Amino acid sequence: MGSSASQGEDYFQHQRQLIRHGVEAVLACNGLYTSDRTLAQVRAQELAYLVRFQADTVPGELQVHREQQAVTVAAPTGDQAIHAAFRPGIGCVVLAPEQTLADIGTLPQLDLPPPAGNPADLPWPMGDAIPEQPIPDSIDGAALQAASDWAFQRETPEQDTISLLVLYRGQIIHERYAPGFDMHTRTRTWSTAKSIAVSLIGQLVAAGKLKLDEPLNLPFGPQLEAGVDPRADITLRHLLNMSSGLYPVDSFNKEYATGSGLAYWAGASSVKGALDRGLVRAPGSFWDYENYDTLLAVLAMKQVLGEQAYREYPRRALLDKLGMRNTLVSTDRFGDFILSSQVYTNARDLARFGQLYLQQGEWQGEQLLPREWIDFVRHPAPATAGSGNFYGGQWWLVPDERKGEVPADAYSTAGNRGQFVIVVPSHDLVIVRRGLDYGAQGFDRWDLAREVIKAVRH
């Protein structure tokens, strides 16, 4: 029997420290080579996030390897080193602790040529050529500027808005960037990636390759005899509603100690850990926000596509068709997409993505997503009925207590550090806010929607 003193020991401390180094390595690597930022800029903004780790970990020493397009972070003694390296078409991939820079060549990359044409010459939305034109008469320019100032001039430096873009009826009516950023700058989407993932999955459901309410035949571990494993009852709907019933890993203060944190930042498989969880609640009965639920849905996508088609699928099925040329979907070192967080893109690409949803899945004359799928992602997850109906299918909904203040039909992506794509069908609006928030954060997307909506004259 353990002593009472041992009950409070942090047996995850070694992993917390590795993850701390990995966060710094991945964010610095992507800041330098995916976002094309300077090291001084990265230290000042991307790595400001590391304040979250000061209580129980210590900073590492950062070393940049320009020739290999890689970053290493290690303890001052050289221990607990984590490397991250940029890979073409993917962005930065983190290596396992035992790996070295010599292993970079083993990491996946994506060799797909860009779509035809020069985006600078192609008209919006497929390109970036936007003619000079006045804002519509139905928009109050002064109110729109006031909303923009509200977003950028925050009461705390921890709310760090780096871009704001507003579409009205498909037209860019406002676009603003903080110093050091422009329309080409890619930054991490964090969990806004989940809304991209559900779009790719929706296309497979429309094609009949996946079904919302049938078991997914996932190879859970440890494997149990057929008919014995209750996890076999988990459906795609359960995963997309964040209601799988599987053991929680990313909640309850373990986000930076184990679970998906080891895949994001320390080179573990994003698939193996997601599969190795037991059932603790009936599927569909309890809402629990877990990165692994999204990653299991992405694994189901891989199972029906096969290896090669899977790697090219985000580009071919969605990104290229929307003109999202600046978007990189990253993988773990095993080639599995980390579509719960690790996507790098810019504000204009996210505006295109939001406009797809505003247009009920139709794009340039093609129905890329069925209207029924748009309805699904906007329908409250049953397990949230008693707590505000705030979440749908990898999209966030206006909670019951905010309806009236914000149009009830609005819905939003949401990513750490303030990554939001807000769709407001009743006002023909798409609002994209990118941030590098840190510390307490707390930027309220529904407050932003409220402020921007003030500019729309009825």
Side-chain angles (χ1 to χ4, degrees), residues 181 190 203 272 307 309 342 356 389 409 434:
F181 300 88
W190 296 86
Q203 290 177 302
K272 184 177 179 182
E307 188 74 37
Q342 180 79 342
L356 171 70
N389 295 300
D409 67 344
R434 310 300 311 281

Side-chain angles (χ1 to χ4, degrees), residues 350-387:
L350 287 180
R352 294 176 173 99
F353 177 68
Q355 187 66 24
L356 171 70
Y357 274 81
L358 186 67
Q359 294 172 181
Q360 289 285 291
E362 186 273 333
W363 190 263
Q364 303 286 294
E366 182 181 0
Q367 196 71 37
L368 292 182
L369 278 175
R371 291 173 178 266
E372 295 80 10
W373 194 253
I374 308 291
D375 292 340
F376 161 68
V377 304
R378 297 175 59 192
H379 186 78
T384 67
S387 51

Side-chain angles (χ1 to χ4, degrees), residues 419-451:
Q419 321 310 316
F420 304 118
V421 180
I422 309 164
V423 181
V424 192
S426 57
H427 289 71
D428 288 315
L429 284 170
V430 174
I431 306 163
V432 177
R433 188 266 185 179
R434 310 300 311 281
L436 283 173
D437 301 343
Y438 63 96
Q441 300 184 47
F443 189 96
D444 192 310
R445 61 189 176 277
W446 304 125
D447 285 353
L448 174 61
R450 179 198 63 209
E451 296 303 307

Side-chain angles (χ1 to χ4, degrees), residues 4-254:
S4 59
S6 68
Q7 299 289 324
E9 293 291 338
D10 182 4
Y11 291 105
F12 292 110
Q13 180 60 28
H14 177 75
Q15 291 175 195
R16 291 183 197 278
Q17 187 62 59
L18 275 178
I19 287 172
R20 163 72 186 258
H21 290 169
V23 169
E24 188 170 2
V26 173
L27 296 185
C29 178
N30 275 308
L32 292 171
Y33 302 116
T34 304
S35 305
D36 294 321
R37 306 250 291 148
T38 68
L39 184 58
Q41 290 171 326
V42 169
R43 287 188 186 279
Q45 289 179 294
E46 279 86 342
L47 299 187
Y49 180 71
L50 295 173
V51 70
R52 294 189 60 174
F53 298 86
Q54 289 178 350
D56 55 7
T57 58
V58 295
E61 294 186 350
L62 188 153
Q63 183 178 4
V64 178
H65 311 279
R66 298 285 179 183
E67 185 175 346
Q68 295 99 330
Q69 292 188 301
V71 168
T72 299
V73 177
T77 59
D79 296 331
Q80 295 178 307
I82 293 288
H83 311 283
F86 180 82
R87 302 297 287 165
I90 289 179
C92 291
V93 178
V94 63
L95 287 80
E98 70 274 9
Q99 292 184 299
T100 69
L101 297 177
D103 295 303
I104 291 176
T106 68
L107 299 176
Q109 64 183 49
L110 182 63
D111 299 313
L112 273 182
N118 182 348
D121 300 327
L122 295 173
W124 174 267
M126 293 306 296
D128 290 320
I130 300 175
E132 290 287 337
Q133 53 188 330
I135 64 172
D137 293 339
S138 50
I139 295 296
D140 182 332
L144 184 59
Q145 185 60 46
S148 178
D149 292 342
W150 181 94
F152 276 86
Q153 298 168 10
R154 306 304 302 147
E155 62 273 15
T156 166
E158 293 181 350
Q159 294 179 12
D160 187 7
T161 300
I162 62 172
S163 62
L164 178 69
L165 192 153
V166 180
L167 293 181
Y168 176 66
R169 297 177 179 171
Q171 174 187 342
I172 296 177
I173 59 169
H174 186 81
E175 187 173 19
R176 180 176 175 181
Y177 297 94
F181 300 88
D182 60 29
M183 59 178 277
H184 302 292
T185 308
R186 296 185 287 212
T187 54
R188 187 184 179 102
T189 65
W190 296 86
S191 287
T192 278
K194 293 178 169 71
S195 302
I196 296 175
V198 80
S199 307
L200 294 164
I201 291 166
Q203 290 177 302
L204 292 176
V205 171
K209 295 184 177 180
L210 285 172
K211 304 213 179 275
L212 259 180
D213 294 306
E214 291 184 6
L216 292 169
N217 194 30
L218 295 173
F220 288 107
Q223 292 185 354
L224 302 176
E225 296 177 15
V228 173
D229 195 338
R231 295 172 295 184
D233 294 331
I234 296 172
T235 66
L236 186 60
R237 186 187 299 272
H238 296 141
L239 295 175
L240 299 179
N241 282 164
M242 290 293 184
S243 307
S244 68
L246 292 168
Y247 180 79
V249 216
D250 290 324
S251 16
F252 307 103
N253 299 317
K254 290 185 288 186

